[in-house]
Amino acid sequence: MSKNTKNNFAETIGNTPLIKLKLASEISGCNIYGKCEFLNPGGSVKDRPARQIIFDALKSKKIDKGATIIEGTAGNTGIGLSLVGNSLGMSSIIVMPKTQSNEKKKMLKLCGAKLHLVEAVPYKNPGNYIRYSEALSKKIKNPNGVLWANQFDNLSNKKSHY
């Protein structure tokens, strides 16, 4: 994304400080640093793959601004997807098990996500949050595109950590 865009919120993700881990560095004889991913806007290392998934989908023209992002998540990736998507003018639909914490549910709503809560069932069950989100992504219509983020099988997730 261009640095000239109106909202550079997503550009802040991953630009977190490094802190030298003194004891580990002394013991190893090498400089060892920790990356403070908790300082990302969504407070999680999962902000990074969320940003990559959306930016890759935009770059490949799978979606455009105004798209709908759909994902099945236990929380943190959904928070990242909602924050990045909403900062780029996209809507977010997050499917998660009812058993997740109220704090994550509230955070997702604060991030602008439309939340679908489902029973916590095994993956083989079509009602599983991941499978439900995939099915939902095929039903939703949006002229700007619909992206099922598919974090567990999306290679953009892996790519985001390089």
Side-chain angles (χ1 to χ4, degrees):
M1 299 300 295
S2 166
K3 294 288 185 188
N4 296 325
T5 56
K6 183 179 177 184
N7 188 340
N8 288 322
F9 173 84
E11 297 294 336
T12 65
I13 294 172
N15 294 321
T16 56
L18 293 173
I19 296 177
K20 185 173 182 177
L21 304 177
K22 188 176 178 182
L23 182 59
S25 296
E26 288 173 5
I27 290 170
S28 69
C30 302
N31 290 327
I32 298 178
Y33 296 86
K35 187 137 176 66
C36 300
E37 294 288 334
F38 62 90
L39 293 174
N40 279 315
S44 167
V45 67
K46 298 295 187 97
D47 289 4
R48 186 184 294 268
R51 177 185 183 274
Q52 189 74 48
I53 288 168
I54 291 174
F55 279 26
D56 283 353
L58 284 165
K59 186 176 181 181
S60 68
K61 306 282 188 208
K62 290 180 183 173
I63 58 171
D64 201 358
K65 289 190 178 184
T68 302
I69 310 298
I70 300 175
E71 183 60 339
T73 179
N76 288 338
T77 301
I79 291 167
L81 288 165
S82 297
L83 287 171
V84 174
N86 291 347
S87 77
L88 297 171
M90 300 174 190
S91 61
S92 307
I93 301 173
I94 302 299
V95 180
M96 72 186 306
K98 292 178 182 178
T99 55
Q100 293 305 307
S101 73
N102 286 330
E103 291 79 12
K104 283 191 181 177
K105 293 172 194 172
K106 288 177 183 177
M107 184 62 174
L108 281 160
K109 289 178 184 177
L110 285 171
C111 293
K114 182 176 179 187
L115 197 55
H116 287 244
L117 298 175
V118 297
E119 295 298 326
V121 295
Y123 182 78
K124 68 181 181 178
N125 185 315
N128 173 275
Y129 69 103
I130 298 166
R131 297 189 69 205
Y132 182 95
S133 68
E134 179 183 20
L136 184 61
S137 73
K138 294 174 182 175
K139 292 178 185 175
I140 301 292
K141 303 294 180 218
N142 182 328
N144 297 310
V146 174
L147 175 67
W148 177 46
N150 191 17
Q151 66 175 307
F152 300 109
D153 294 318
N154 190 327
L155 293 179
S156 293
N157 191 332
K158 177 182 174 184
K159 180 180 169 185
S160 71
H161 299 287
Y162 286 96

